[in-house]
Amino acid sequence: MSGTRSLEERLLEMEKKEQASREKAKRYAAKKKALQQRQAEDERKKRTHRLCQIGGAVESVLGRPIDENELPKLIAFLQRQERNGKYFSKAMQADNVTDSVTNSREN
């Protein structure tokens, strides 16, 4: 019976394997959390870039920088366009945007 392990030895081995599995699970959870944080950071960067592009477009149309205190006016203007006939939404449709960019380049 010296070739077979005792129940205590087998239990100890199982406990070691269980502990190793818990540690591995913790490592996976940490890697997952790091990836999720990186994804959130990438999304924030994309959003910030998009917002900067929008601000730049507004300023290029105005021909001057827009002041922070003018933002409520801009928002109110866009909301009026929506209430009056969804003009902003219609202008932002893909076909209209392409057409207006092409027309402005031709003029």
Side-chain angles (χ1 to χ4, degrees):
M1 199 150 161
S2 61
T4 60
R5 295 177 300 167
S6 70
L7 289 176
E8 284 182 18
E9 290 173 330
R10 292 192 302 198
L11 281 172
L12 280 174
E13 185 180 333
M14 289 289 178
E15 287 176 12
K16 285 181 184 179
K17 286 182 179 181
E18 185 179 18
Q19 181 62 31
S21 293
R22 278 194 288 258
E23 290 171 5
K24 193 173 185 178
K26 284 180 185 180
R27 286 193 302 272
Y28 279 123
K31 285 182 181 181
K32 180 181 175 184
K33 184 177 179 181
L35 284 173
Q36 288 171 330
Q37 287 174 338
R38 193 159 122 205
Q39 182 180 26
E41 182 180 334
D42 288 349
E43 289 171 4
R44 276 192 303 277
K45 285 181 180 181
K46 287 177 185 177
R47 181 177 186 272
T48 299
H49 180 73
R50 187 179 72 251
L51 292 174
C52 288
Q53 287 180 312
I54 293 167
V58 170
E59 289 184 352
S60 73
V61 169
L62 287 177
R64 64 176 176 79
I66 188 169
D67 292 331
E68 197 172 320
N69 63 350
E70 293 177 301
L71 290 177
K73 291 182 200 175
L74 176 62
I75 292 168
F77 171 76
L78 293 173
Q79 287 172 336
R80 270 194 315 277
Q81 295 302 306
E82 287 300 287
R83 277 195 309 271
N84 291 340
K86 303 271 187 217
Y87 297 118
F88 183 63
S89 294
K90 289 175 184 175
M92 296 303 292
Q93 290 175 356
D95 294 340
N96 292 338
V97 172
T98 305
D99 292 344
S100 66
V101 170
T102 303
N103 291 337
S104 68
R105 287 184 184 157
E106 292 171 355
N107 294 333

